[in-house]
Amino acid sequence: MSSAIAKISVYAVQVPIKEGTYTMSGGRALDEFDTTIVRVQTKDGLVGWGEVTPLGTNYLPSYTAGARTGIKELAPHLIGIDATELARVNAAMDLALKGHPYVKSAIDIACWDVLGRKAGLPVVTLLGGRFGKTVKLYRSITKDTPQAMAQRIRAFQRQGYRTFQLKVGGEPDLDIARIRATARACRPGERLVADANGGWLPHEAARVVDAVRDLDVAIEQPCQSYEENLTIRRRTARPFVLDESIDSLGALQRAIADGAVDAINIKLSKYGGLSRARVIRDVANANGIATTIEDTACTDITAAAVAALAHSTPEALRFSATLANVKLAFRTATGAPFPKNGEAAAGSAPGLGVTPLMKVLGKPLFEVGRA
Ligand code: MG
Protein backbone atom coordinates (compact mmCIF):
# COMPACT_ATOMS: atom_id res chain seq x y z
CA MET A 1 0.00 0.00 0.00
CA SER A 2 1.14 3.48 -0.75
CA SER A 3 2.90 5.47 1.95
CA ALA A 4 1.94 8.72 0.24
CA ILE A 5 2.18 11.70 2.55
CA ALA A 6 -1.36 12.58 3.64
CA LYS A 7 -0.82 15.11 6.41
CA ILE A 8 2.00 17.21 7.84
CA SER A 9 1.65 18.69 11.34
CA VAL A 10 4.07 21.17 12.87
CA TYR A 11 4.66 21.73 16.60
CA ALA A 12 6.71 24.32 18.48
CA VAL A 13 8.39 23.69 21.83
CA GLN A 14 10.70 25.96 23.84
CA VAL A 15 13.08 23.97 26.02
CA PRO A 16 15.38 25.73 28.52
CA ILE A 17 19.05 24.77 28.65
CA LYS A 18 19.41 23.41 32.17
CA GLU A 19 23.12 24.14 32.39
CA GLY A 20 22.51 27.86 31.92
CA THR A 21 23.41 30.22 29.09
CA TYR A 22 25.39 28.80 26.17
CA THR A 23 27.86 31.42 24.94
CA MET A 24 30.03 31.53 21.83
CA SER A 25 32.14 34.17 20.06
CA GLY A 26 30.64 37.53 19.12
CA GLY A 27 28.51 37.67 22.27
CA ARG A 28 26.10 35.10 20.80
CA ALA A 29 24.26 33.50 23.70
CA LEU A 30 21.27 31.22 24.10
CA ASP A 31 19.36 30.03 27.15
CA GLU A 32 16.72 27.88 25.46
CA PHE A 33 16.23 25.84 22.30
CA ASP A 34 13.17 26.87 20.30
CA THR A 35 12.49 23.67 18.39
CA THR A 36 10.17 22.83 15.50
CA ILE A 37 8.86 19.27 15.44
CA VAL A 38 7.25 17.78 12.33
CA ARG A 39 4.86 14.86 12.15
CA VAL A 40 4.40 13.22 8.77
CA GLN A 41 1.41 10.90 8.42
CA THR A 42 1.00 8.66 5.41
CA LYS A 43 -2.06 7.35 3.62
CA ASP A 44 -1.42 3.84 4.96
CA GLY A 45 -1.39 5.14 8.54
CA LEU A 46 2.34 5.34 9.23
CA VAL A 47 3.70 8.25 11.24
CA GLY A 48 7.23 9.67 11.18
CA TRP A 49 8.79 12.42 13.27
CA GLY A 50 11.41 15.01 12.42
CA GLU A 51 12.80 18.13 14.02
CA VAL A 52 14.82 21.24 13.26
CA THR A 53 16.33 23.52 15.91
CA PRO A 54 18.34 26.49 14.63
CA LEU A 55 20.93 27.79 17.10
CA GLY A 56 19.36 31.21 17.52
CA THR A 57 19.23 33.59 14.56
CA ASN A 58 22.93 34.33 14.02
CA TYR A 59 24.83 31.05 14.05
CA LEU A 60 24.07 29.80 10.53
CA PRO A 61 21.75 31.27 7.88
CA SER A 62 18.80 29.63 9.63
CA TYR A 63 16.29 30.74 12.23
CA THR A 64 13.20 29.35 13.91
CA ALA A 65 10.57 31.54 12.26
CA GLY A 66 12.19 30.76 8.89
CA ALA A 67 11.92 27.02 9.55
CA ARG A 68 8.22 27.28 10.34
CA THR A 69 7.40 29.59 7.43
CA GLY A 70 9.43 27.40 5.09
CA ILE A 71 7.72 24.18 6.15
CA LYS A 72 4.33 25.85 5.65
CA GLU A 73 5.46 26.78 2.13
CA LEU A 74 6.75 23.28 1.35
CA ALA A 75 4.10 21.06 2.92
CA PRO A 76 1.37 21.42 0.22
CA HIS A 77 3.92 20.34 -2.43
CA LEU A 78 4.61 17.09 -0.56
CA ILE A 79 1.09 15.77 -0.11
CA GLY A 80 0.75 12.63 -2.25
CA ILE A 81 4.48 11.88 -2.53
CA ASP A 82 5.58 8.55 -1.07
CA ALA A 83 7.40 9.29 2.20
CA THR A 84 9.56 6.17 1.84
CA GLU A 85 11.02 7.40 -1.46
CA LEU A 86 13.56 9.75 0.06
CA ALA A 87 15.19 10.92 -3.17
CA ARG A 88 11.80 11.83 -4.60
CA VAL A 89 10.80 13.64 -1.41
CA ASN A 90 14.01 15.68 -1.58
CA ALA A 91 13.60 16.37 -5.30
CA ALA A 92 10.07 17.64 -4.65
CA MET A 93 11.33 19.89 -1.85
CA ASP A 94 14.10 21.30 -4.06
CA LEU A 95 11.64 21.94 -6.87
CA ALA A 96 9.25 23.79 -4.56
CA LEU A 97 11.82 25.83 -2.60
CA LYS A 98 15.33 26.74 -3.69
CA GLY A 99 17.96 26.46 -0.97
CA HIS A 100 16.92 26.72 2.69
CA PRO A 101 18.28 23.25 3.58
CA TYR A 102 17.39 23.62 7.27
CA VAL A 103 13.71 23.99 6.35
CA LYS A 104 13.87 20.64 4.56
CA SER A 105 15.78 18.86 7.32
CA ALA A 106 12.85 18.08 9.63
CA ILE A 107 10.76 16.67 6.75
CA ASP A 108 13.63 14.53 5.46
CA ILE A 109 14.23 13.14 8.96
CA ALA A 110 10.51 12.40 9.43
CA CYS A 111 10.44 10.50 6.13
CA TRP A 112 13.46 8.38 7.20
CA ASP A 113 11.45 7.57 10.33
CA VAL A 114 8.51 6.49 8.15
CA LEU A 115 10.81 4.37 5.96
CA GLY A 116 12.26 2.62 9.01
CA ARG A 117 8.86 1.96 10.53
CA LYS A 118 7.58 0.54 7.26
CA ALA A 119 10.67 -1.64 6.80
CA GLY A 120 10.64 -2.70 10.46
CA LEU A 121 14.28 -1.59 10.75
CA PRO A 122 16.06 1.10 12.77
CA VAL A 123 17.38 4.06 10.78
CA VAL A 124 20.96 3.14 11.78
CA THR A 125 20.54 -0.12 9.83
CA LEU A 126 19.16 1.71 6.80
CA LEU A 127 22.23 3.97 6.93
CA GLY A 128 24.60 1.00 6.79
CA GLY A 129 24.67 -0.46 10.29
CA ARG A 130 26.50 0.11 13.56
CA PHE A 131 30.25 0.48 13.89
CA GLY A 132 31.16 -0.42 17.48
CA LYS A 133 28.88 -0.83 20.47
CA THR A 134 28.49 2.87 21.25
CA VAL A 135 29.34 6.34 20.01
CA LYS A 136 31.72 8.41 22.14
CA LEU A 137 30.40 11.92 22.60
CA TYR A 138 31.93 15.33 23.20
CA ARG A 139 30.76 18.16 25.42
CA SER A 140 31.10 21.79 24.46
CA ILE A 141 32.57 24.10 27.07
CA THR A 142 30.81 27.46 27.06
CA LYS A 143 32.99 30.62 27.00
CA ASP A 144 34.13 31.56 30.48
CA THR A 145 37.32 32.26 32.42
CA PRO A 146 40.18 29.82 31.76
CA GLN A 147 39.82 28.43 35.29
CA ALA A 148 36.06 27.94 35.00
CA MET A 149 36.47 26.21 31.63
CA ALA A 150 39.12 23.85 33.03
CA GLN A 151 36.81 23.15 35.98
CA ARG A 152 33.98 22.30 33.61
CA ILE A 153 36.22 19.84 31.76
CA ARG A 154 37.02 18.10 35.05
CA ALA A 155 33.29 17.83 35.81
CA PHE A 156 32.58 16.31 32.39
CA GLN A 157 35.53 13.92 32.81
CA ARG A 158 33.85 12.63 35.97
CA GLN A 159 30.73 12.00 33.85
CA GLY A 160 32.79 9.90 31.43
CA TYR A 161 33.47 12.36 28.59
CA ARG A 162 36.83 12.27 26.82
CA THR A 163 36.39 14.89 24.09
CA PHE A 164 35.90 18.59 24.78
CA GLN A 165 35.12 21.48 22.47
CA LEU A 166 36.05 24.87 23.88
CA LYS A 167 34.15 27.93 22.85
CA VAL A 168 36.75 30.62 22.13
CA GLY A 169 37.13 33.55 19.72
CA GLY A 170 37.34 37.31 19.72
CA GLU A 171 39.75 37.65 22.65
CA PRO A 172 43.08 36.23 21.42
CA ASP A 173 45.08 36.68 24.65
CA LEU A 174 42.30 35.31 26.83
CA ASP A 175 41.65 32.58 24.26
CA ILE A 176 45.29 31.47 24.46
CA ALA A 177 44.94 31.29 28.26
CA ARG A 178 41.68 29.34 27.87
CA ILE A 179 43.31 26.79 25.57
CA ARG A 180 46.39 26.42 27.81
CA ALA A 181 44.32 26.00 31.02
CA THR A 182 41.97 23.44 29.49
CA ALA A 183 44.83 21.52 27.83
CA ARG A 184 46.37 21.12 31.30
CA ALA A 185 43.07 19.63 32.52
CA CYS A 186 43.04 17.03 29.73
CA ARG A 187 44.51 13.57 30.25
CA PRO A 188 46.34 11.33 27.77
CA GLY A 189 43.96 9.98 25.14
CA GLU A 190 41.48 12.83 25.50
CA ARG A 191 40.69 15.17 22.64
CA LEU A 192 40.56 18.94 22.88
CA VAL A 193 39.13 21.17 20.15
CA ALA A 194 39.23 24.98 20.24
CA ASP A 195 36.18 26.22 18.31
CA ALA A 196 36.23 29.96 17.58
CA ASN A 197 33.00 29.84 15.54
CA GLY A 198 34.64 32.27 13.11
CA GLY A 199 35.41 34.70 15.92
CA TRP A 200 39.02 35.63 15.09
CA LEU A 201 40.36 37.86 12.35
CA PRO A 202 43.22 36.19 10.50
CA HIS A 203 45.89 38.19 12.39
CA GLU A 204 44.33 37.11 15.70
CA ALA A 205 43.99 33.48 14.67
CA ALA A 206 47.61 33.48 13.49
CA ARG A 207 48.75 34.56 16.96
CA VAL A 208 46.60 31.98 18.72
CA VAL A 209 47.65 28.99 16.61
CA ASP A 210 51.28 29.99 17.02
CA ALA A 211 50.93 30.36 20.79
CA VAL A 212 49.40 26.88 21.22
CA ARG A 213 51.67 25.06 18.77
CA ASP A 214 53.15 22.93 21.59
CA LEU A 215 49.70 21.65 22.67
CA ASP A 216 47.62 18.71 21.47
CA VAL A 217 44.63 20.78 20.42
CA ALA A 218 42.62 20.88 17.20
CA ILE A 219 41.61 24.26 15.76
CA GLU A 220 38.00 24.62 14.58
CA GLN A 221 36.58 27.37 12.33
CA PRO A 222 39.00 30.09 13.48
CA CYS A 223 37.74 32.76 11.03
CA GLN A 224 34.53 33.50 9.21
CA SER A 225 35.23 33.03 5.53
CA TYR A 226 36.62 29.92 3.89
CA GLU A 227 39.51 31.91 2.39
CA GLU A 228 40.53 33.34 5.78
CA ASN A 229 40.42 29.86 7.30
CA LEU A 230 42.56 28.49 4.50
CA THR A 231 45.34 31.00 5.28
CA ILE A 232 45.33 29.89 8.93
CA ARG A 233 45.26 26.23 7.94
CA ARG A 234 48.41 26.84 5.91
CA ARG A 235 50.30 28.26 8.86
CA THR A 236 49.43 25.77 11.60
CA ALA A 237 50.39 22.14 12.11
CA ARG A 238 47.47 21.55 14.50
CA PRO A 239 44.63 19.30 13.27
CA PHE A 240 42.23 21.60 11.45
CA VAL A 241 38.43 21.40 11.54
CA LEU A 242 35.87 23.40 9.57
CA ASP A 243 32.22 23.63 10.48
CA GLU A 244 30.26 26.72 9.39
CA SER A 245 32.33 27.04 6.16
CA ILE A 246 31.47 23.51 4.98
CA ASP A 247 27.83 24.22 4.22
CA SER A 248 27.41 22.17 1.03
CA LEU A 249 28.87 19.34 -1.02
CA GLY A 250 30.55 21.96 -3.23
CA ALA A 251 32.24 23.55 -0.20
CA LEU A 252 33.49 20.13 0.88
CA GLN A 253 34.82 19.34 -2.61
CA ARG A 254 36.75 22.60 -2.62
CA ALA A 255 38.16 21.92 0.85
CA ILE A 256 39.28 18.46 -0.29
CA ALA A 257 40.98 19.91 -3.37
CA ASP A 258 42.72 22.57 -1.23
CA GLY A 259 43.75 20.13 1.50
CA ALA A 260 41.97 22.54 3.85
CA VAL A 261 40.65 20.17 6.52
CA ASP A 262 41.43 17.12 8.63
CA ALA A 263 37.89 16.93 9.98
CA ILE A 264 34.53 18.59 9.36
CA ASN A 265 31.44 19.01 11.47
CA ILE A 266 28.28 17.59 9.99
CA LYS A 267 25.11 19.18 11.23
CA LEU A 268 22.03 17.50 9.80
CA SER A 269 20.09 20.72 9.23
CA LYS A 270 23.06 22.48 7.56
CA TYR A 271 22.66 20.10 4.61
CA GLY A 272 18.93 19.39 4.68
CA GLY A 273 18.56 16.30 6.86
CA LEU A 274 19.87 12.74 6.95
CA SER A 275 19.82 12.15 3.18
CA ARG A 276 22.22 14.97 2.31
CA ALA A 277 24.27 14.75 5.52
CA ARG A 278 25.00 11.11 4.71
CA VAL A 279 26.37 12.07 1.28
CA ILE A 280 28.64 14.73 2.82
CA ARG A 281 29.77 12.26 5.50
CA ASP A 282 30.55 9.57 2.93
CA VAL A 283 32.46 11.90 0.58
CA ALA A 284 34.47 13.31 3.51
CA ASN A 285 35.22 9.84 4.90
CA ALA A 286 36.19 8.50 1.45
CA ASN A 287 38.85 11.22 1.38
CA GLY A 288 40.18 10.38 4.85
CA ILE A 289 38.47 13.37 6.45
CA ALA A 290 37.02 12.53 9.85
CA THR A 291 33.54 13.73 10.73
CA THR A 292 31.85 15.03 13.86
CA ILE A 293 28.16 14.22 13.71
CA GLU A 294 25.64 16.57 15.33
CA ASP A 295 23.03 19.20 14.58
CA THR A 296 22.92 22.94 15.24
CA ALA A 297 20.80 22.16 18.30
CA CYS A 298 18.15 19.54 18.95
CA THR A 299 15.91 17.80 21.43
CA ASP A 300 15.18 14.07 21.55
CA ILE A 301 13.90 13.56 18.00
CA THR A 302 16.90 14.88 16.11
CA ALA A 303 19.13 13.30 18.79
CA ALA A 304 17.87 9.92 17.54
CA ALA A 305 18.72 10.87 13.93
CA VAL A 306 22.18 12.18 14.93
CA ALA A 307 22.90 8.96 16.85
CA ALA A 308 21.88 6.88 13.83
CA LEU A 309 24.22 8.75 11.47
CA ALA A 310 27.05 8.82 14.03
CA HIS A 311 26.76 5.11 14.84
CA SER A 312 26.84 4.22 11.13
CA THR A 313 30.11 6.16 10.69
CA PRO A 314 33.26 3.98 10.85
CA GLU A 315 34.95 4.53 14.22
CA ALA A 316 38.29 5.65 12.79
CA LEU A 317 36.51 8.38 10.84
CA ARG A 318 34.25 9.42 13.70
CA PHE A 319 36.02 12.50 15.08
CA SER A 320 33.24 12.91 17.60
CA ALA A 321 29.51 13.40 18.01
CA THR A 322 27.21 15.17 20.40
CA LEU A 323 23.61 14.80 21.49
CA ALA A 324 22.28 18.17 22.64
CA ASN A 325 19.26 16.63 24.38
CA VAL A 326 21.57 16.06 27.37
CA LYS A 327 21.66 19.82 28.02
CA LEU A 328 17.93 20.33 28.28
CA ALA A 329 15.53 20.91 31.17
CA PHE A 330 12.97 18.38 29.92
CA ARG A 331 12.43 15.69 27.28
CA THR A 332 10.27 15.96 24.17
CA ALA A 333 10.08 12.23 23.43
CA THR A 334 10.71 8.81 24.94
CA GLY A 335 12.89 6.20 23.28
CA ALA A 336 15.64 8.65 22.24
CA PRO A 337 19.30 7.89 22.81
CA PHE A 338 20.55 9.77 25.86
CA PRO A 339 24.22 10.17 26.84
CA LYS A 340 25.49 7.97 29.66
CA ASN A 341 29.14 7.76 30.71
CA GLY A 342 30.05 10.02 27.80
CA GLU A 343 28.56 7.76 25.17
CA ALA A 344 25.27 6.73 23.55
CA ALA A 345 23.97 4.25 21.00
CA ALA A 346 21.56 4.51 18.09
CA GLY A 347 18.13 3.09 18.86
CA SER A 348 17.18 -0.41 17.79
CA ALA A 349 13.42 0.07 17.39
CA PRO A 350 12.06 0.58 13.85
CA GLY A 351 12.61 4.06 12.41
CA LEU A 352 14.02 6.57 14.86
CA GLY A 353 12.40 4.69 17.73
CA VAL A 354 11.09 7.85 19.39
CA THR A 355 7.64 8.53 20.77
CA PRO A 356 7.00 12.25 21.26
CA LEU A 357 5.38 13.33 24.51
CA MET A 358 2.18 14.91 23.18
CA LYS A 359 1.63 16.79 26.43
CA VAL A 360 4.93 18.56 25.83
CA LEU A 361 4.26 19.18 22.13
CA GLY A 362 0.78 20.57 22.75
CA LYS A 363 -1.48 21.54 19.85
CA PRO A 364 0.07 21.84 16.38
CA LEU A 365 1.01 25.31 15.12
CA PHE A 366 -0.50 24.30 11.79
CA GLU A 367 -1.41 21.25 9.75
CA VAL A 368 -1.50 20.66 6.02
CA GLY A 369 -3.46 17.84 4.35
CA ARG A 370 -5.85 15.31 5.83
CA ALA A 371 -5.31 11.97 7.54
MG1 MG B 1 31.67 24.24 15.53
Side-chain angles (χ1 to χ4, degrees):
M1 193 176 174
S2 159
S3 295
I5 296 173
K7 186 177 169 187
I8 295 176
S9 313
V10 175
Y11 301 81
V13 186
Q14 289 78 36
V15 193
I17 302 172
K18 70 178 176 198
E19 295 163 0
T21 306
Y22 180 71
T23 307
M24 62 180 130
S25 66
R28 290 171 290 178
L30 218 63
D31 49 24
E32 67 170 23
F33 288 169
D34 191 355
T35 195
T36 303
I37 294 172
V38 172
R39 178 184 188 271
V40 168
Q41 186 172 348
T42 65
K43 213 171 165 188
D44 54 353
L46 294 168
V47 169
W49 293 91
E51 176 183 30
V52 60
T53 320
L55 199 56
T57 56
N58 50 12
Y59 171 66
L60 285 175
S62 62
Y63 67 113
T64 300
R68 292 171 191 163
T69 307
I71 294 167
K72 202 174 220 173
E73 180 72 34
L74 273 180
H77 299 275
L78 302 175
I79 303 298
I81 294 175
D82 194 312
T84 63
E85 297 182 349
L86 267 301
R88 288 192 56 231
V89 170
N90 276 282
M93 290 199 285
D94 290 344
L95 190 64
L97 180 68
K98 194 163 177 68
H100 299 276
Y102 72 106
V103 166
K104 299 164 182 170
S105 188
I107 295 168
D108 176 80
I109 292 169
C111 290
W112 275 92
D113 191 22
V114 170
L115 175 62
R117 285 170 200 250
K118 184 159 184 174
L121 292 170
V123 170
V124 66
T125 303
L126 301 177
L127 291 171
R130 288 164 209 274
F131 288 93
K133 271 197 178 136
T134 61
V135 175
K136 288 188 174 59
L137 303 169
Y138 81 82
R139 288 305 306 262
S140 56
I141 311 293
T142 189
K143 259 182 121 180
D144 207 330
T145 64
Q147 296 73 18
M149 292 174 83
Q151 203 87 51
R152 207 168 268 246
I153 286 192
R154 288 188 201 98
F156 285 137
Q157 283 168 332
R158 287 191 288 275
Q159 294 175 29
Y161 290 93
R162 297 289 174 263
T163 300
F164 310 100
Q165 185 205 62
L166 307 180
K167 290 298 171 191
V168 288
E171 303 156 305
D173 291 306
L174 186 54
D175 291 332
I176 292 165
R178 285 171 170 139
I179 297 169
R180 298 207 78 90
T182 50
R184 274 195 299 275
C186 286
R187 300 174 298 204
E190 295 184 345
R191 177 172 282 159
L192 185 65
V193 182
D195 183 7
N197 292 109
W200 293 316
L201 290 168
H203 73 87
E204 297 171 323
R207 279 190 60 228
V208 176
V209 298
D210 192 52
V212 303
R213 66 188 183 282
D214 58 315
L215 301 177
D216 186 7
V217 60
I219 304 297
E220 179 172 330
Q221 192 76 32
C223 304
Q224 281 194 21
S225 76
Y226 175 79
E227 291 75 13
E228 290 167 335
N229 285 309
L230 189 55
T231 70
I232 301 305
R233 157 66 163 184
R234 287 177 174 156
R235 46 178 128 168
T236 178
R238 302 299 96 221
F240 202 77
V241 184
L242 284 180
D243 183 344
E244 291 92 324
S245 284
I246 307 298
D247 58 359
S248 64
L249 181 58
L252 173 61
Q253 287 171 309
R254 185 178 172 198
I256 292 167
D258 291 341
V261 284
D262 302 301
I264 62 166
N265 283 16
I266 294 194
K267 293 183 159 80
L268 302 189
S269 60
K270 192 163 61 172
Y271 307 118
L274 277 170
S275 299
R276 298 271 157 78
R278 178 179 62 166
V279 172
I280 304 274
R281 190 262 323 256
D282 290 347
V283 171
N285 289 173
N287 286 275
I289 294 166
T291 41
T292 290
I293 312 290
E294 57 190 8
D295 204 349
T296 41
C298 71
T299 75
D300 291 297
I301 295 154
T302 299
V306 167
L309 189 65
H311 216 152
S312 66
T313 303
E315 287 168 288
L317 290 155
R318 203 190 287 150
F319 198 66
S320 193
T322 196
L323 299 182
N325 58 345
V326 73
K327 296 180 184 181
L328 299 177
F330 57 82
R331 314 294 302 270
T332 58
T334 59
F338 196 79
K340 200 181 163 198
N341 300 326
E343 52 191 29
S348 43
L352 293 175
V354 293
T355 307
L357 297 161
M358 294 316 295
K359 262 195 182 154
V360 171
L361 269 55
K363 292 229 180 322
L365 277 184
F366 61 88
E367 299 189 285
V368 174
R370 276 191 302 149

